[in-house]
Amino acid sequence: MVKEFAKEAMAQVQRDLQPNISVPRLGSLGYNVKDLFDSGINHVPEKFVQTATAQEAFIPHNVTSKGLQIPVIDLGGLQDESRRGATLAAIESACQEWGFFQIINYGIPPSLAENTHKLAREFFDLPQEEKEALARDPQNPVSNGYGRQFLTSTNSTEDWQDLFFHHLLPLSIKQKDSWPSKPAAYRETMEEYGAEVLKLTDRLLDVFDELLGLKTGYLRESFGDTMLNVRLNFYAACPEPKRVLGLRAHSDPNVISVLIQDQVGGLQVKKGNQWVNVTPIPGALVVNLGDSIQIASNGRFQSVEHRVVTNQGAARLSLAMFRHPSVDVDIGPAPELVDASHPALYPTISYAAYRASFHRKGVNGKHLLPYAISRP
């Protein structure tokens, strides 16, 4: 199956690339955006070209939106009684109005986050043959390994992105032998960083309990045994950034996502009908809420669409860690948040089914909508 995929991908490259440009070596995974850009192409292959509607909505990665800025929250304020109230209010507003915020003083050693990001970049700098030796299963969208964003979707347009994805929890699907062994410090460092992100998201979920008026520990308990995975995202520079997307617009199905990004920029969040750049802040992490939180909060907190745009000048590297509910639990509005004045806005559904639907439909807008119950 992988060989057939590679054969068709190579044929498509031969059709798409300019005849005076030497075709970059592509292995069993088909397109590789780093090699495509390094080959000197002037036009992207049609496989990457977005719809006219998506192209019309293009906003450059370095444009500042007037009057709109992603909230930046100092989590150190939660430990300071004189600032705790204001910090809680800032988190609540961000969860209600944005579904996204950047955090500083979040309790993880900055050197650990920086080193984790550095090692991720070093992985993508390895020779292509070494990366392909860890190829993921193209038929399994949640398999460990290197490759493309394989989704069982009818949308065949590809994102301008190379990635490495793997699980950290639960142990039954961790498969640490499938993680990169180069750089040499990758596995140990990722384990350490993952443990810190787990503690950080525990703290955030307890804060969400407090803001929603739920008992401490409710959300952690209701979501069951944590599933934690990570995706390393490499967005090569692109000769035609207006025609492609590094990652198409979507909302995440999970609970919380925690992102390390570099200083290039390109992550954008949808606020109303406007796309807003998430301006990189040295040392900050980006937190975004997933659909599971919107459902559990009965719509009080929001998950929002986000996307990644590319640019002609510089590659971008981000590292996203995703905390999911257990696949064995059902997700639905917390009973304490449902009454005659606040009816349930969403049905209770299996998270396994919800996540499977996300991969079946593909990265395509706000996935939550098909399950939403109309507001009265």
Side-chain angles (χ1 to χ4, degrees):
M1 180 64 72
V2 171
K3 290 182 179 179
E4 293 175 0
F5 183 90
K7 183 178 180 180
E8 173 57 28
M10 180 60 77
Q12 184 64 47
V13 171
Q14 296 283 0
R15 292 191 293 268
D16 289 339
L17 292 179
Q18 300 83 341
N20 61 329
I21 299 291
S22 61
V23 177
R25 180 196 174 278
L26 298 177
S28 61
L29 300 175
Y31 287 111
N32 170 272
V33 297
K34 184 177 186 297
D35 285 355
L36 283 175
F37 182 78
D38 290 344
S39 73
I41 61 171
N42 298 313
H43 302 288
V44 299
E46 285 298 316
K47 190 78 170 174
F48 293 98
V49 176
Q50 296 292 319
T51 64
T53 300
Q55 292 182 48
E56 290 170 3
F58 175 79
I59 302 292
H61 74 291
N62 55 359
V63 169
T64 301
S65 302
K66 293 183 178 179
L68 291 176
Q69 184 176 355
I70 304 300
V72 180
I73 300 174
D74 181 353
L75 289 191
L78 293 173
Q79 311 303 319
D80 183 345
E81 286 303 318
S82 67
R83 295 189 292 148
R84 181 174 170 77
T87 303
L88 287 172
I91 295 173
E92 183 172 33
S93 175
C95 292
Q96 292 174 343
E97 301 298 327
W98 285 92
F100 258 81
F101 50 97
Q102 298 199 65
I103 56 174
I104 59 175
N105 296 323
Y106 39 79
I108 299 176
S111 60
L112 175 59
E114 291 170 7
N115 194 36
T116 305
H117 185 272
K118 173 178 173 289
L119 292 170
R121 182 59 184 257
E122 289 177 4
F123 168 77
F124 286 106
D125 288 339
L126 292 173
Q128 185 66 13
E129 294 84 352
E130 293 189 36
K131 291 179 289 189
E132 288 182 359
L134 298 172
R136 65 194 313 223
D137 179 358
Q139 303 303 312
N140 182 355
V142 293
S143 63
N144 284 7
Y146 167 79
R148 312 286 311 145
Q149 179 78 347
F150 291 111
L151 295 168
T152 53
S153 168
T154 55
N155 186 345
S156 60
T157 303
E158 291 194 27
D159 296 324
W160 189 262
Q161 174 199 73
D162 299 324
L163 64 84
F164 195 99
F165 174 90
H166 66 82
H167 297 278
L168 289 90
L169 291 173
L171 298 178
S172 60
I173 59 173
K174 186 174 182 178
Q175 298 177 330
K176 194 171 180 179
D177 287 346
S178 66
W179 298 14
S181 58
K182 294 181 181 179
Y186 178 89
R187 294 181 181 181
E188 179 182 355
T189 304
M190 186 59 72
E191 285 265 33
E192 184 179 357
Y193 177 69
E196 292 293 337
V197 169
L198 187 61
K199 290 189 287 187
L200 169 63
T201 55
D202 277 346
R203 293 196 299 271
L204 288 173
L205 288 176
D206 287 348
V207 169
F208 296 167
D209 285 333
E210 182 176 353
L211 294 173
L212 293 168
L214 302 171
K215 69 175 183 178
T216 301
Y218 171 84
L219 289 172
R220 284 188 283 130
E221 182 180 343
S222 67
F223 290 136
D225 293 336
T226 296
M227 177 165 56
L228 190 69
N229 45 50
V230 66
R231 191 176 70 218
L232 319 180
N233 308 296
F234 182 84
Y235 304 98
C238 179
E240 296 184 291
K242 293 183 179 180
R243 302 184 72 206
V244 309
L245 283 170
L247 183 61
R248 281 161 287 169
H250 67 288
S251 63
D252 294 344
N254 55 297
V255 178
I256 304 177
S257 304
V258 178
L259 180 82
I260 306 175
Q261 62 173 343
D262 57 24
Q263 299 305 299
V264 174
L267 174 63
Q268 298 180 340
V269 173
K270 196 170 189 180
K271 177 67 171 172
N273 293 318
Q274 186 171 350
W275 287 102
V276 179
N277 279 303
V278 180
T279 303
I281 297 174
L285 296 179
V286 180
V287 173
N288 74 276
L289 308 187
D291 295 346
S292 297
I293 282 288
Q294 179 164 334
I295 293 171
S297 69
N298 201 29
R300 287 177 55 177
F301 291 172
Q302 301 296 313
S303 68
V304 298
E305 285 185 70
H306 51 286
R307 68 182 187 182
V308 174
V309 298
T310 63
N311 71 87
Q312 289 181 300
R316 176 176 181 266
L317 189 284
S318 69
L319 187 155
M321 195 159 283
F322 306 96
R323 178 170 180 156
H324 297 259
S326 167
V327 293
D328 297 324
V329 303
D330 294 335
I331 54 174
E336 294 86 346
L337 303 180
V338 176
D339 57 32
S341 300
H342 305 89
L345 299 179
Y346 315 103
T348 296
I349 59 173
S350 157
Y351 182 68
Y354 188 79
R355 189 178 183 224
S357 178
F358 172 83
H359 290 291
R360 185 172 62 252
K361 291 175 181 291
V363 177
N364 186 20
K366 191 162 171 56
H367 178 65
L368 184 69
L369 292 179
Y371 294 102
I373 297 175
S374 298
R375 295 177 183 270

